[in-house]
Amino acid sequence: MAILDKAKESLTGGCLCGAVRYVLDFPPGSSWPPDSHICQCTQCRKHTGSLMPPLMTVTPSQLRWANESDYGKPPAALTEFSSSKGVYRSFCSSCGCSFTWRSEATPDEIEILIGSIDEKWLIGDRTEKVSSESLTEPGNFEKVLNAKEGALGREICTPMAGQMFMRNAIKGATDVRLGGKRFVEVSQKILEIPD
């Protein structure tokens, strides 16, 4: 089975230290590519250290914790923090890697931080080994980039579900349009920025 086919069945991810691992299942009938978006709210920025953290929405049943000791149960290093009333963010207590956002108001959804997905799914397997110096030669960077097999980054990272909290956009840095609709904020009242 090709990596692309396997990825549409499942994706894997984890933290820097390896204490937390997970599998995202995409059974037949699941949305593919999954709904992805970017959030520029202050809490997401603080949780991740990123100005524009990309997230994907899945159902809680699609997420399986894959720690070796007790498959399916959250690992001991997984910690959940209540960032506001009824809202929880998870991270590895050993290395600090951020994983999820979830809200009691939407129990059928959980947001996965895309940066925690394994590199082989985001950029693909490298089919040839090249030195960093050779990438600076004309045409080599594009050649190597295109030679990676199984890269799903474009499919799962393009924020087709939207860019959230554009009210926090930083002029000249994060005010770019990457895909999907743009929203001033997402709260009780959803305010969309017109095209």
Side-chain angles (χ1 to χ4, degrees), residues 29-112:
S30 296
S31 171
W32 187 268
D35 287 338
S36 298
H37 64 278
I38 288 173
C39 188
Q40 294 194 53
C41 79
T42 301
Q43 289 189 8
C44 279
R45 285 177 172 172
K46 297 285 186 184
H47 183 226
T48 64
S50 172
L51 294 175
M52 300 173 64
L55 301 106
M56 79 165 58
T57 304
V58 297
T59 64
S61 64
Q62 288 179 268
L63 173 63
R64 288 184 289 129
W65 299 108
N67 53 315
E68 291 180 23
S69 61
D70 196 359
Y71 196 79
K73 288 184 78 176
L78 185 70
T79 301
E80 210 170 46
F81 165 71
S82 178
S83 58
S84 55
K85 186 176 181 180
V87 175
Y88 304 91
R89 298 169 186 274
S90 71
F91 62 95
C92 174
S93 62
S94 295
C95 68
C97 180
S98 302
F99 294 107
T100 64
W101 177 96
R102 69 178 181 88
S103 171
E104 291 175 355
T106 54
D108 295 335
E109 296 179 351
I110 189 165
E111 308 291 333
I112 304 293

Side-chain angles (χ1 to χ4, degrees), residues 158-181:
T158 302
M160 296 314 292
Q163 292 175 249
M164 314 304 178
F165 284 89
M166 289 299 292
R167 72 178 314 136
N168 290 351
I170 299 167
K171 186 167 178 56
T174 69
D175 58 348
V176 296
R177 182 153 199 163
L178 299 172
K181 296 180 179 181

